[in-house]
């Protein structure tokens, strides 16, 4: 009897400890839902003290946002079954909302009358605190072996409530905790994983998933790993899955390593959605850019006199159409670039570039736009500048955007200057305008997405507010920085730096003023033969007219098969190639041409609406090769790249 009494006292003590130390909030209320007592956890999650809660109705924490039918169901279930489990929206004393996973049990006396209700509330808005709680639990397991089973039970409940697969190992690399999601990931019950070494888990992952997992690289002192690791792994199962892998040390309050935690989140659906998004963007890119390029090219040719002299009213209307076509193409390109930046897929292909040549190209291609607004472009590049390590197309994109903005915001008859100079181990580029300037309180914000300065000039020129964001991403990806100095009413100077070639300076020819740059290229036209390959007849026609007006002999082909036949017979001096075509696409045609010694040296201009990866660009190489994306200045771009390729061959 004494032993039984002692046992009852032990159980009472345990229940008391559970009540006061539970991580879940516990509230006891009478039959009228007046609060009789709460544990500390309930005080913490509600913000009210025990004294403030006792004697008040349980609805003191209600937010008024929980649907009435939830409470009707709660009382129905309590009346029928004596218990209810569900979710409600509560309000903290501070006014903040918190979501509660609530379990309520009805307490009845021997006669069956309700005497009390016991509620257990879990704050499910605090799941980010899981890692901290896991560390705390592991520390308790290590320091208090006598409580190991109780702590393990509670920890298991917590781990099983999350969607991620979680494994914890001790300092010897032995698995001490594994939730049920790990069992689903590896195909065996989670309890069979406890006690296995991290090396056994690694081997099991290789055997079941086809890829390694649970990385374990000992610290320099031979102890457990101390580095944080994060990876994305794709299994080699019959139906592959993709997991985000996170591994980090678990430490106590004093920084001592107690073990290691592995968290695996199944991101298969997210990955598939990302793939679908990429395919959608590629499709939209091709299906929008191709017809827009045809429209732009046709408008440019008509305005250039290809169809004869135009009446003033017709010229004005066609100019409006061309300008808005440019806006649409720029918008498409900006959206695609922002999508790439957000996905972390902005590819940079670094190569040594002459700052003088970079500036010359940027000024040359912006001249026609500047002349429309009576803006004079000048360039200042001193001799002897080191070459920069940069992606030529991306660096041009930055300069093009900054010059375009400078021209748009400058008053008619003013000057826009671009200059380059050495700046330590960097080369600095400046674009200087005499526009309205930027208010000081808006300078930091102009590089944010969709931000546009609220003034008359911005409303007049339009734009998406994406250009400077893209410039910032490109410059920073190169390892440089971009900034602006501006005074309202005086103009702005946009500056950015690009790393110089580390092997030392290479002499660069000075870049003269813009009228000198353009004058040097005139009169150098030759009459080589060019083959244009594109399945879109409108694109073939537009590109042909552009090249013929520039003085070239042009043949066309509608797919890769026809192009291959013409190449074998006529041996063109340059090939302009689209990629997505029936029968034999651009990739397949290049692969065929690379198999023959003389055809693998043909200069190639890839003209496509697709955004090519670095790997795809590598596959599309013959002789001198350039890649042009169908865009707003397609006429100038094609002619410039053709001249460049023919001059280098």
């Amino acid at each position: 009897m004494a032993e039984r009494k002692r046992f009852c006292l032990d159980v009472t003590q345990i229940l008391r400890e559970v009540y006061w130390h539970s991580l879940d909030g516990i509230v006891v209320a009478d039959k009228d839902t007046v609060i009789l007592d709460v544990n500390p956890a309930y005080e913490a999650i509600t913000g009210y003290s025990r004294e403030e809660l006792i004697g008040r109705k349980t609805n003191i924490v209600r937010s008024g946002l929980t649907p009435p039918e939830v409470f009707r169901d709660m009382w129905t279930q309590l009346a029928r079954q004596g218990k209810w489990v569900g979710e409600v929206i509560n309000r903290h004393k501070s006014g903040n909302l918190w979501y509660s996973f609530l379990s309520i049990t009805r307490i009845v006396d021997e006669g069956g009358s309700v005497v009390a209700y016991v509620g257990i509330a879990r704050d499910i808005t605090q799941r980010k605190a899981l890692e901290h709680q896991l560390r705390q639990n592991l520390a308790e397991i290590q320091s208090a072996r006598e409580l190991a089973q109780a702590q393990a039970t509670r920890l298991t409940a917590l781990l099983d409530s999350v969607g991620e697969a979680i494994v914890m190992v001790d300092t010897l690399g032995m698995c001490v905790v594994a939730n049920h999601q790990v069992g689903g990931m590896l195909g065996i019950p989670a309890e069979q994983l406890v006690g296995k070494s991290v090396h056994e888990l690694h081997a099991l992952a290789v055997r079941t998933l086809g890829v390694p997992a649970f990385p374990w690289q000992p610290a320099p002192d031979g102890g457990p790993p101390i580095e944080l690791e994060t990876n994305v792994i794709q299994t080699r199962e019959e139906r592959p899955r993709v997991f985000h892998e996170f591994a980090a040390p678990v430490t106590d309050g004093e920084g001592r390593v107690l073990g290691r935690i592995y968290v695996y989140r199944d991101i298969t659906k997210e990955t598939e959605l990302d793939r679908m998004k990429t395919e959608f963007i590629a499709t939209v890119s091709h299906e929008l850019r191709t017809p827009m390029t045809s429209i732009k090219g046709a408008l440019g040719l008509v305005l250039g006199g290809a169809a004869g002299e135009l009446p003033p009213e017709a010229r004005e209307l066609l100019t409006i159409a061309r300008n808005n076509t440019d806006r649409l193409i720029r918008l498409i390109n900006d959206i695609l670039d922002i999508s790439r930046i957000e996905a972390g897929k902005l590819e940079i292909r670094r190569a040594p570039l002459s700052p003088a040549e970079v500036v010359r190209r940027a000024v040359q291609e912006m001249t026609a736009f500047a002349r429309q607004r009576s803006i004079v472009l000048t360039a200042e590049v001193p001799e002897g500048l080191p070459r920069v390590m940069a992606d030529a197309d991306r660096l041009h994109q930055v300069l093009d955007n900054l010059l375009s903005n400078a021209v748009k915001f400058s008053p008619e008859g003013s000057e826009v200057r671009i200059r380059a100079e050495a700046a330590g181990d960097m080369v600095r580029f400046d674009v200087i305008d005499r526009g309205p300037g930027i208010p000081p309180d808006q300078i930091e914000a102009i590089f944010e997405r969709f931000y546009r300065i609220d003034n008359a000039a911005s409303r007049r020129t339009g734009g998406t507010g994406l250009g400077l964001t893209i410039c910032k991403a490109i410059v920073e990806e190169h390892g440089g920085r971009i900034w602006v100095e501006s005074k309202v009413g005086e103009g702005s100077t946009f500056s950015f730096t690009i790393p110089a070639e580390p092997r030392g300076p290479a002499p660069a020819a000075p870049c003269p003023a813009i009228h000198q740059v353009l004058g040097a290229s005139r009169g150098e036209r030759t009459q080589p033969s060019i083959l244009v390959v594109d399945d879109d007849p409108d694109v073939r026609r537009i590109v042909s007219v552009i090249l013929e007006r520039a003085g070239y002999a042009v043949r066309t082909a509608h797919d890769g098969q026809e192009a291959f036949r013409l190449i074998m017979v006529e041996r063109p001096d340059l090939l302009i190639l689209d990629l997505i075509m029936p029968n034999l696409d651009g990739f397949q045609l290049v692969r065929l041409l690379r198999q023959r010694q003389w055809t693998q040296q043909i200069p190639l201009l890839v003209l496509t609406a697709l955004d090519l990866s670095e790997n795809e660009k590598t596959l599309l190489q013959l002789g001198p090769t350039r890649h042009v994306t169908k865009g707003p200045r397609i006429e100038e771009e094609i002619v410039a790249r053709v001249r460049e390729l023919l001059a280098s061959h």
Side-chain angles (χ1 to χ4, degrees):
M1 180 63 71
E3 182 179 352
R4 180 178 179 83
K5 183 176 182 181
R6 184 171 62 256
F7 175 76
C8 291
L9 291 175
D10 289 343
V11 171
T12 301
Q13 180 64 26
I14 291 173
L15 292 176
R16 184 179 296 109
E17 290 296 316
V18 169
Y19 178 79
W20 289 108
H21 299 289
S22 172
L23 296 178
D24 293 332
I26 301 176
V27 55
V28 181
D30 66 13
K31 63 184 180 63
D32 297 319
T33 71
V34 175
I35 297 175
L36 301 175
D37 199 9
V38 298
N39 71 344
Y42 196 78
E43 293 180 279
I45 62 178
T46 62
Y48 292 96
S49 67
R50 184 166 176 266
E51 291 74 17
E52 290 175 309
L53 290 168
I54 293 176
R56 300 288 298 274
K57 286 268 193 176
T58 54
N59 61 12
I60 186 176
V61 298
R62 285 190 187 179
S63 65
L65 299 177
T66 304
E69 54 267 23
V70 173
F71 292 109
R72 287 196 294 268
D73 176 68
M74 179 184 74
W75 287 114
T76 299
Q77 296 299 325
L78 286 172
R80 292 178 179 175
Q81 302 178 11
K83 58 184 179 180
W84 178 82
V85 176
E87 294 182 5
V88 296
I89 304 173
N90 288 333
R91 191 177 299 278
H92 191 271
K93 182 181 177 181
S94 65
N96 296 328
L97 296 176
W98 60 282
Y99 291 78
S100 172
F101 183 78
L102 182 61
S103 171
I104 301 177
T105 301
R106 182 189 65 192
I107 308 299
V108 297
D109 58 17
E110 295 179 354
S113 298
V114 177
V115 296
Y117 295 97
V118 177
I120 301 176
R122 177 174 298 173
D123 184 354
I124 58 176
T125 62
Q126 301 299 320
R127 288 182 179 172
K128 289 185 179 179
L130 177 60
E131 181 180 350
H132 173 74
Q133 184 61 50
L134 293 177
R135 284 200 197 97
Q136 179 180 343
N137 288 341
L138 184 57
E140 291 174 358
I141 292 172
Q142 292 290 96
S143 62
R145 292 290 184 181
E146 66 276 11
L147 296 177
Q149 186 59 48
Q151 294 287 43
T153 300
R154 184 170 63 182
L155 183 60
T156 299
L158 287 171
L159 292 174
D160 288 342
S161 67
V162 301
E164 291 81 1
I166 299 176
V167 166
M168 286 188 293
V169 297
D170 60 19
T171 55
L172 300 177
M174 304 301 294
C175 178
V176 294
V177 174
N179 68 352
H180 288 303
Q181 285 75 5
V182 178
M185 171 182 165
L186 298 178
I188 65 173
E191 51 268 20
Q192 294 183 21
L193 299 175
V194 176
K196 291 185 180 294
S197 71
V198 69
H199 304 295
E200 290 177 300
L201 295 178
H202 178 88
L204 180 61
V206 171
R207 189 165 61 251
T208 58
L209 303 179
V211 292
F214 306 102
W216 181 269
Q217 182 64 40
D221 60 0
I226 58 174
E227 298 296 326
L228 185 147
E229 298 180 62
T230 178
N231 300 291
V232 174
I233 60 175
Q234 182 170 349
T235 69
R236 297 177 182 174
E237 303 164 287
E238 183 178 348
R239 299 182 63 181
R241 292 177 290 171
V242 182
F243 290 94
H244 179 270
E245 176 185 68
F246 172 82
V250 179
T251 58
D252 62 14
E254 298 180 1
R256 290 189 297 262
V257 177
L258 303 177
R260 193 163 184 79
I261 183 172
Y262 298 91
V263 180
Y264 291 87
R265 184 165 66 90
D266 190 336
I267 58 171
T268 305
K269 291 182 179 179
E270 291 93 325
T271 304
E272 177 63 16
L273 288 174
D274 186 63
R275 184 192 63 79
M276 294 170 63
K277 175 185 174 183
T278 301
E279 290 182 356
F280 173 76
I281 290 174
T283 301
V284 170
S285 168
H286 184 268
E287 296 303 320
L288 288 180
R289 278 174 170 168
T290 297
M292 293 303 295
T293 299
S294 299
I295 296 170
K296 161 69 177 177
L299 291 171
L301 290 172
V302 172
L303 287 169
E309 189 65 26
L310 294 173
E313 290 184 0
R315 176 172 293 278
E316 180 182 0
L317 293 174
L318 289 172
T319 301
I320 293 173
R322 183 185 63 181
N323 292 341
N324 281 278
T325 301
D326 288 344
R327 289 179 61 190
L328 283 175
I329 295 175
R330 282 194 296 269
L331 175 60
I332 293 168
N333 292 339
D334 285 349
I335 291 174
L336 292 172
D337 276 336
I338 283 294
S339 177
R340 254 192 311 272
I341 291 167
E342 289 178 342
K345 296 179 179 178
L346 183 65
E347 295 183 343
I348 300 296
R349 190 174 186 176
R350 293 173 177 82
L353 301 174
S354 164
E357 177 58 26
V358 170
V359 170
R360 184 201 66 79
R361 175 187 170 190
V363 171
Q364 185 179 41
E365 295 185 7
M366 190 57 61
T367 299
F369 181 57
R371 284 174 180 164
Q372 294 175 9
R373 297 171 178 260
S374 301
I375 303 294
V376 177
L377 297 180
T378 59
E380 304 169 15
V381 182
E383 294 186 8
L385 273 187
R387 294 188 297 182
V388 294
M389 294 301 296
D391 184 307
D393 292 334
R394 290 300 184 183
L395 181 54
H396 177 70
Q397 184 178 355
V398 173
L399 285 173
D400 181 78
N401 190 286
L402 296 181
L403 279 174
S404 175
N405 285 347
V407 170
K408 285 192 296 185
F409 287 100
S410 293
E412 289 190 8
S414 63
E415 178 187 47
V416 170
R417 297 163 52 207
I418 177 173
R419 67 190 181 197
E421 59 185 28
D425 58 353
M426 298 276 187
V427 172
R428 169 174 166 170
F429 296 85
D430 299 310
V431 176
I432 306 162
D433 66 53
R434 292 293 176 262
I438 304 168
D441 60 337
Q442 299 187 49
I443 283 181
E444 292 299 324
I446 61 172
F447 292 101
E448 298 177 2
R449 281 179 297 175
F450 304 110
Y451 188 86
R452 297 177 65 242
I453 297 172
D454 186 17
N455 60 25
S458 293
R459 290 189 290 272
R460 184 175 64 254
T461 58
T464 62
L466 294 175
L468 290 177
T469 303
I470 295 169
C471 289
K472 183 173 185 291
I474 292 173
V475 170
E476 291 180 349
E477 188 68 23
H478 277 86
R481 71 183 187 95
I482 186 170
W483 69 97
V484 61
E485 299 172 357
S486 182
K487 289 185 179 180
V488 175
E490 296 184 15
S492 304
T493 299
F494 281 84
S495 305
F496 67 92
T497 56
I498 296 293
E501 184 180 18
R503 290 177 293 180
C511 183
I514 189 65
H515 66 275
Q516 294 174 318
V517 173
L518 295 181
S521 64
R522 292 175 180 172
E524 299 176 2
R525 298 172 181 167
T526 61
Q527 300 243 354
S529 62
I530 300 175
L531 177 61
V532 177
V533 188
D534 198 303
D535 65 324
D536 190 310
D538 294 332
V539 173
R540 290 199 304 273
R541 173 61 178 158
I542 295 300
V543 174
S544 297
V545 174
I546 290 172
L547 294 173
E548 288 168 353
R549 286 171 62 83
Y552 299 106
V554 182
R555 288 295 303 274
T556 64
H558 69 276
D559 63 16
Q561 288 183 354
E562 183 183 9
F564 185 74
R565 180 181 59 79
L566 289 174
I567 291 170
M568 294 298 103
V569 173
E570 301 187 7
R571 299 199 172 197
D573 295 299
L574 186 141
L575 177 63
I576 297 181
L577 180 65
D578 188 24
L579 297 180
I580 299 180
M581 298 181 293
N583 300 325
L584 192 72
D585 65 29
F587 289 97
Q588 294 168 327
L589 176 59
V590 170
R591 193 179 306 121
L592 281 176
L593 296 177
R594 290 173 72 166
Q595 295 172 4
R596 290 163 174 77
Q597 185 172 0
W598 75 268
T599 57
Q600 65 184 224
Q601 301 302 320
I602 297 176
L604 171 64
L605 177 61
V606 178
L607 179 62
T608 179
L610 300 178
D611 289 298
L612 301 175
S613 67
E614 294 306 318
N615 181 56
E616 289 171 329
K617 288 181 179 180
T618 301
L619 296 174
L620 292 167
Q621 291 282 337
L622 288 178
T625 301
R626 295 292 183 271
H627 306 91
V628 173
T629 302
K630 295 173 181 176
R633 283 188 284 276
I634 192 66
E635 181 175 355
E636 301 93 327
E637 186 82 359
I638 289 176
V639 173
R641 296 292 80 76
V642 165
R643 288 174 177 168
E644 178 184 336
L645 286 168
L646 292 174
S648 65
H649 187 57

